Amino acid sequence: MIPAQFTYRRVSSVDEALAVVAEHGDDAKLLAGGQSLLPLMKLRFAAPEVVVDIGPLDELRYVRAEGGEIAIGAMSRYHDLHHDPVLAEQAPLLAHVAGEVGDQQVRHRGTIGGSLVHADPAADLPAAVLAVDGVLVARGPDGERRIPAAEFFQGPFETPLAPEELLTEVRIPVQNGAGWAFEKFTRRSIDWAIVGVVVAGSAVSLINMGGTPLRATATEAALADGASAAEAAALAAEGTSPADEAHATAEYRQHLARVLTERALVSAGR
């Protein structure tokens, strides 16, 4: 439970952070809230030579309404998102999901950017951002680029970000009164979801039903064709590949996906 030796660098600006990761490349890891990286380092699943602490970057801690979109700084903490008045009014789904992550300690330290970049298929926020068709903004030596959430999650803990890039912002559309719901099944309230479901309007995404957060495309197609919540939910597990392990079999996860999807659809008024 003791990390391997590393060099600690604390930065005070995005430009400084980019300079440090450009210098060290794959040998450096960015430390945001530390809720994912530090446990991995203690178990020595990760052993970076340089840890770049971007915690002081208040310039990446904001929520702003900009036209039909909401811009969220990547260093915004779950607790702040849960209580943010802009999200409460214009994107209540994301505010609600942020308030369901982990426990109070995790929510006061963990950041939306850290969760998305970690890309754990069992995490809540990646599925929520996927369901609302969010766009992730990254900055690197070649400038800024925007990556749709549908293209960002490429595998377990895998994203298209280069070692010298930094996620700076998440942009989501205003919900405009669309129905929404979030359901997840856990062994304990603070645990990762065995299975979770996010509904945003006509979009349905699944948590922990494969190597990435997934859209339940068969369910979405059925809803578009006029199916009832029960009929559409019966298709939720199609095209998924959930893990078969000690906490739950693949068959049980598929059952949970169908049950939770129906609950979420009904709650969202579908």
Side-chain angles (χ1 to χ4, degrees):
M1 299 297 289
I2 299 175
Q5 186 174 0
F6 60 89
T7 299
Y8 174 79
R9 296 283 300 272
R10 184 177 175 89
V11 297
S12 57
S13 70
V14 171
D15 289 342
E16 184 182 1
L18 292 175
V20 175
V21 295
E23 177 185 355
H24 296 282
D26 286 330
D27 294 330
K29 287 290 184 183
L30 294 167
L31 175 66
Q35 302 307 295
S36 300
L37 178 61
L38 293 182
L40 291 176
M41 289 176 63
K42 288 181 178 181
L43 293 170
R44 300 210 176 188
F45 291 152
E49 293 184 10
V50 180
V51 172
V52 185
D53 186 356
I54 58 174
L57 301 189
D58 288 339
E59 63 188 286
L60 298 183
R61 195 169 283 122
Y62 56 83
V63 177
R64 296 193 291 257
E66 298 181 354
E69 291 186 320
I70 299 172
I72 304 169
M75 288 297 294
S76 300
R77 297 188 177 100
Y78 306 139
H79 174 270
D80 298 332
L81 298 178
H82 181 51
H83 294 281
D84 186 83
V86 173
L87 287 183
E89 179 182 352
Q90 301 189 39
L93 168 62
L94 197 67
H96 175 75
V97 173
E100 295 295 309
V101 176
D103 56 20
Q104 290 278 6
Q105 290 175 312
V106 170
R107 292 193 291 272
H108 277 81
R109 292 296 305 166
T111 66
I112 185 172
S115 177
L116 297 176
V117 171
H118 188 53
D120 190 330
D124 300 337
L125 282 169
V129 172
L130 177 65
V132 299
D133 293 320
V135 174
L136 290 79
V137 182
R139 196 185 306 175
D142 298 325
E144 185 178 277
R145 63 176 177 138
R146 299 189 175 199
I147 309 166
E151 301 173 10
F152 189 79
F153 307 106
Q154 298 185 338
F157 314 109
E158 182 181 352
T159 76
L161 290 183
E164 65 273 13
E165 286 185 305
L166 170 66
L167 182 68
T168 57
E169 187 176 79
V170 182
R171 301 187 73 88
I172 62 173
V174 172
Q175 282 187 250
N176 290 325
W180 60 272
F182 176 55
E183 296 280 345
K184 69 175 175 178
F185 182 84
T186 60
R187 295 172 63 237
R188 301 175 302 169
S189 61
I190 63 172
D191 285 342
W192 300 103
I194 299 296
V195 172
V197 177
V198 181
V199 172
S202 59
V204 181
S205 64
L206 304 173
I207 300 168
N208 220 3
M209 288 297 291
T212 67
L214 301 172
R215 290 285 285 267
T217 53
T219 293
E220 293 175 350
L223 290 171
D225 289 338
S228 67
E231 292 167 336
L235 305 174
E238 287 195 7
T240 64
S241 54
D244 194 345
E245 43 85 33
H247 293 120
T249 64
E251 182 180 6
Y252 182 54
R253 291 181 196 273
Q254 291 171 335
H255 166 73
L256 284 174
R258 292 187 286 268
V259 170
L260 296 178
T261 297
E262 182 173 358
R263 290 180 186 174
L265 289 173
V266 170
S267 179
R270 297 295 306 189

